[in-house]
Each structure stands twice: as structure tokens, then as C-alpha cells.
Amino acid sequence: MTISVDEVSYELHLIFDSSLSDIQRIERCRNLVNTIITTWSPNLVETLKEVVEFFAQDDVHLFVSRQMLSDFCLRILPWLSDSQSKIMAQFMRKEMQPRAVHFEFHLSIVCNHLSCIYEKEENWKEAANLLASIPAESYYRFSVDFELELYMKIARLYMEDDEPLLAEPYVKKASVLQFETTNNDLHLNYKVCYARMLNFRLKFIEAALEYHELSNCQSFGESERLIALKNALVCTILSFTGNYRTQLLKLFFNDERCKLLIRLKILKNLYMVRFIKPNEINEIETMLMPHQKAKTIYGTTLLIEAIAEHNIQSIRILHQNIKIESFANLLGFHPYEAKLIAARMIFEGRIEGSIDEANGLITFNPQKPDQLQSWHKKIESMKTQLNRMNELLLENSSVQKVEEDQTDV
């Protein structure tokens, strides 16, 4: 025998119109809910909605409401099928929202549960938005580990939806919290999240350095290390030419695992700054992630631009000067496009040279042997100073927090 929505409503009002204590009311209400879920009914969700609506109203004592809604969050939602649970969670969220300050804990569980369902449906952005609505920094304090994991998951979901700008604030929040946890798994997950963020923001050389570190982390399995190595290799190929790129390519060339990822001949050509041919570019392209195939402002792809810069470095080694027409033919570009790329590299200081418009000639200046090393030292010095500044800022914020706590006492 099924129990109707009207019967449930009548029974609830009967319980609360009686002179029972709150503890007794909770017990009677739990028995009623058990009857509902153990009795098959085509209107199960609608019947449960009636119960939720009743306990979300202002007239019911919070002690009772919180107990009963906790039962729904922790027991009923996981028990229902995904389709039923989705409808129920959406309804619970809507009903509790007007009294959100009293139901923060419950709303957090509902949002997390609903986010998991959206994630299964690959509705990444909605899943991230739901988690982002959880008030992790409110007066109801969650643990540091919970907050850190929450921020990293939000960032990951936004990146799945190709929204790195929405993900970045949560990576920054996680970067502060990671210093407060002793959980090694969360530290590693943060490193993965941070590397992925750099990758999505097209900061390829920084991402490559992070991925390469992860590729040698023994806490990961062999397949995970290989994926990190592949990501490091791809990001290095897509990065600007420079000392870090050269050093990483040398490491890849000497790493036996890279033979599983790319033909040794291509890797050798990259490391030795030899010309990369169109068929080799096509092979590299198969390794790219979707966001790495984006068009540049010049109408080409990131890979074509990166390989063009690599090939210009190769040409520079072989030629002191070269006609723009010949230069363009070697690169496989229109002369105007080839000249633009060369001019950009010269302007940004990645190669030394000049373009003679009148004679249609590109001249490369001999590179000073210690120039790259000098730049490397400058970059290392800047990184050390920035790291020290971050440490001082964190120490200062910790001191301020202690002083504020003492003041409150």
C-alpha cells in the first residue's frame, strides 16, 4: 500500500500539533520517512519533497529541521537513483536557500552531491559553480584539507570546461592553504593542479618544469609519471626558445622513457636545433591537448609558431644572413609572415639580428657564448627573491592571525 502526499502532509502536521518533545517528534518523523522509502510509489520524489518543504519552513524548530534534513543529505540522497537524486537535491537547495545561514552545512552537502552528478554528466561548469557556492570561508569552519581539496576540484572542473581564468583564483587560494596541510597526497595534487593551470594559461616553460618534476616523483605510479613526462615534453616544444627549453630537451633526449612518446629522430632534431620537417610537425600535433591547438593572433597554431621559432634558430646557426624569400621558403610561410615572426623574435631579444627591408635580407648577429648563461642567472636570482617575498608574506599573515586571535581573547 502506497502513502500519498496528502497523507504525509497530514501525518506531519499531526506530529507537530501534539505535545510531543522535539526528540519524540524526530523519532516519529524518521519512522514516517522510513515508511515512505520502503513503500514503493511512483510519486516517491514528490512525497519526499513534501517532507523537505515542511522541515525547511520557519515554523519548525531548527533542532528538528537540522536533524531531519541531515538524514536527507546523508542517507536519502545517496540512496536514490541519480535522476531522482538530482531532482531532490535541486529542490532541497531551493527550499533551504531562504534560511541559508541556518542550513550552511546541509547546503554544502547538497551542492557537493549535486556537483558529482553534474560531473558524471560532463557538465563541468555547472559542477564547478555548485562547489564554488559552498561557503568554505564562513563562520562554519571546514578543515584545511577539505578547503584545499574543494578549491583544487573547482579549479579542475573549470579547466575541464576550458575556463582557466575562472579556475585561477581557486588555484591561488589552494596555493596558500597547501602550506597549512601535512597531507602529502594533497601536496602532490596541488602540484598537478598548478602545473595544469600553467599549461592552460599557455605558460608553457613554467608548466614544463613543474610537469618534469612530477614525472620523477616516486609517489606516482609509472603510468602517471609517463603522462607527466609527456605533458612536460609537449609544453617544452610549445615554449619559446631559450636556456630552460634547451636544458629540458637535453634531459628528454637522455630519458629512455621518451622513446615511448616520440620518435628519437624528432627529439634529436629538437635538442640539436636541427630543422623540423612538416611530417614531423604532424607527428607532434597528435600529442597536443585541445587547448594547445588554439589559433594565435597571427592566424597560425601554437605549434606552428613554436616550430617556426625553432627552425629560425636552426637557420641562424647555418646562415649569417639570408634572403627573405629563401628564409620564407625554408619555413614554409609567405614572405610577409616569415618576416613578421623574425622581427618579433628580434624585438623580444630571442635572437640578435636585423632586417634590411631595402635589400630583402635578414642578418643574424653571432650570439655571445655567455649570454644565455647570464640570462639564466638573472632569472634564477629573480625566482629566489620572489620565493623569499612569498615566505615573508606568509609569515607576516600568520603573525597577524595570531595577534588577531589574541585580541579576540
Side-chain angles (χ1 to χ4, degrees):
M1 181 178 175
T2 60
I3 182 167
S4 69
V5 174
D6 290 338
E7 287 173 326
V8 167
S9 178
Y10 173 77
E11 192 67 31
L12 286 169
H13 283 93
L14 195 65
I15 292 170
F16 281 84
D17 287 342
S18 65
S19 58
L20 296 171
S21 67
D22 283 344
I23 297 294
Q24 290 172 320
R25 285 171 178 165
I26 290 170
E27 187 179 353
R28 290 276 299 274
C29 288
R30 280 176 171 161
N31 290 335
L32 176 62
V33 171
N34 283 334
T35 302
I36 294 168
I37 63 176
T38 54
T39 306
W40 184 89
S41 169
N43 298 319
L44 174 63
V45 173
E46 293 304 315
T47 310
L48 291 172
K49 279 184 180 181
E50 180 68 23
V51 180
V52 169
E53 187 176 6
F54 182 87
F55 288 114
Q57 63 186 335
D58 293 336
D59 297 342
V60 180
H61 197 284
L62 276 173
F63 176 75
V64 179
S65 294
R66 283 173 172 161
Q67 290 288 327
M68 292 307 302
L69 290 173
S70 290
D71 284 1
F72 271 80
C73 292
L74 301 172
R75 190 165 66 93
I76 307 297
L77 285 180
W79 175 79
L80 293 169
S81 66
D82 280 354
S83 58
Q84 291 174 321
S85 191
K86 182 179 177 180
I87 295 168
M88 198 69 218
Q90 288 170 334
F91 182 79
M92 287 177 69
R93 187 170 180 238
K94 178 172 127 339
E95 289 298 309
M96 289 189 289
Q97 199 61 52
R99 300 177 77 192
V101 69
H102 299 300
F103 297 127
E104 262 191 9
F105 173 73
H106 305 83
L107 281 167
S108 298
I109 295 173
V110 168
C111 287
N112 189 56
H113 181 82
L114 200 49
S115 174
C116 290
I117 294 173
Y118 280 121
E119 188 178 354
K120 287 179 187 176
E121 297 172 350
E122 297 187 1
N123 188 346
W124 313 116
K125 192 169 185 178
E126 192 56 40
N129 288 339
L130 279 161
L131 291 181
S133 72
I134 294 176
E137 297 170 348
S138 70
Y139 76 91
Y140 185 90
R141 287 292 299 171
F142 293 96
S143 69
V144 170
D145 286 6
F146 176 87
E147 278 190 59
L148 179 54
E149 198 163 13
L150 177 68
Y151 294 144
M152 289 192 293
K153 188 172 182 182
I154 294 169
R156 177 179 64 78
L157 289 167
Y158 277 134
M159 283 187 275
E160 287 287 352
D161 200 54
D162 201 17
E163 293 281 3
L165 290 176
L166 293 177
E168 191 165 17
Y170 295 97
V171 177
K172 287 180 178 177
K173 287 182 179 183
S175 71
V176 176
L177 283 177
Q178 59 140 343
F179 293 108
E180 298 180 30
T181 183
T182 56
N183 188 317
N184 288 329
D185 288 338
L186 289 180
H187 280 298
L188 287 173
N189 288 341
Y190 169 74
K191 285 180 177 291
V192 173
C193 186
Y194 180 59
R196 198 174 182 197
M197 179 79 252
L198 292 170
N199 187 351
F200 269 86
R201 291 301 308 276
L202 310 184
K203 296 180 178 180
F204 290 126
I205 199 64
E206 295 97 324
L209 290 166
E210 295 292 331
Y211 278 129
H212 186 259
E213 183 183 343
L214 290 169
S215 74
N216 292 302
C217 179
Q218 296 305 310
S219 298
F220 288 129
E222 189 176 342
S223 61
E224 292 172 309
R225 292 199 300 272
L226 196 62
I227 290 170
L229 184 66
K230 177 188 172 183
N231 290 335
L233 176 58
V234 169
C235 287
T236 301
I237 293 170
L238 293 173
S239 66
F240 287 148
T241 52
N243 197 36
Y244 279 124
R245 186 178 191 268
T246 304
Q247 289 179 359
L248 282 168
L249 287 171
K250 182 179 180 181
L251 290 171
F252 297 140
F253 184 67
N254 293 319
D255 193 329
E256 288 294 316
R257 297 176 298 170
C258 284
K259 292 178 182 177
L260 302 170
L261 305 171
I262 190 170
R263 275 198 299 138
L264 188 60
K265 183 186 175 184
I266 299 175
L267 192 55
K268 187 174 184 180
N269 288 344
L270 287 164
Y271 168 54
M272 302 296 289
V273 198
R274 292 174 181 168
F275 212 82
I276 302 295
K277 297 174 183 177
N279 66 308
E280 293 172 328
I281 297 175
N282 293 335
E283 284 188 47
I284 296 169
E285 190 175 18
T286 61
M287 301 169 66
L288 302 186
M289 296 179 184
H291 75 275
Q292 294 168 336
K293 297 178 182 179
K295 295 278 186 181
T296 69
I297 56 173
Y298 304 101
T300 57
T301 64
L302 295 167
L303 179 60
I304 294 296
E305 289 263 327
I307 296 300
E309 290 198 7
H310 170 91
N311 285 341
I312 288 171
Q313 292 286 6
S314 178
I315 293 168
R316 183 189 65 79
I317 293 169
L318 298 172
H319 301 272
Q320 187 174 348
N321 51 61
I322 186 171
K323 286 282 187 182
I324 291 175
E325 290 283 345
S326 302
F327 178 73
N329 286 334
L330 283 171
L331 291 178
F333 285 122
H334 185 277
Y336 177 73
E337 294 174 330
K339 187 173 67 175
L340 275 180
I341 294 173
R344 194 164 73 248
M345 288 183 70
I346 291 168
F347 176 76
E348 292 173 0
R350 293 202 297 281
I351 56 172
E352 288 194 6
S354 59
I355 299 175
D356 184 346
E357 295 277 3
N359 296 311
L361 197 68
I362 297 177
T363 301
F364 301 107
N365 299 341
Q367 195 165 14
K368 296 174 184 177
D370 61 340
Q371 188 178 30
L372 286 177
Q373 190 63 31
S374 172
W375 275 106
H376 175 66
K377 287 179 180 177
K378 286 179 182 178
I379 291 169
E380 284 296 327
S381 174
M382 286 175 65
K383 282 181 70 180
T384 303
Q385 290 177 45
L386 284 170
N387 288 336
R388 182 56 186 153
M389 284 173 64
N390 284 332
E391 289 172 7
L392 290 171
L393 285 169
L394 285 168
E395 287 173 9
N396 188 42
S397 66
S398 298
V399 169
Q400 286 181 352
K401 187 175 180 183
V402 170
E403 289 175 351
E404 287 171 3
D405 291 344
Q406 290 173 345
T407 304
D408 292 341
V409 173

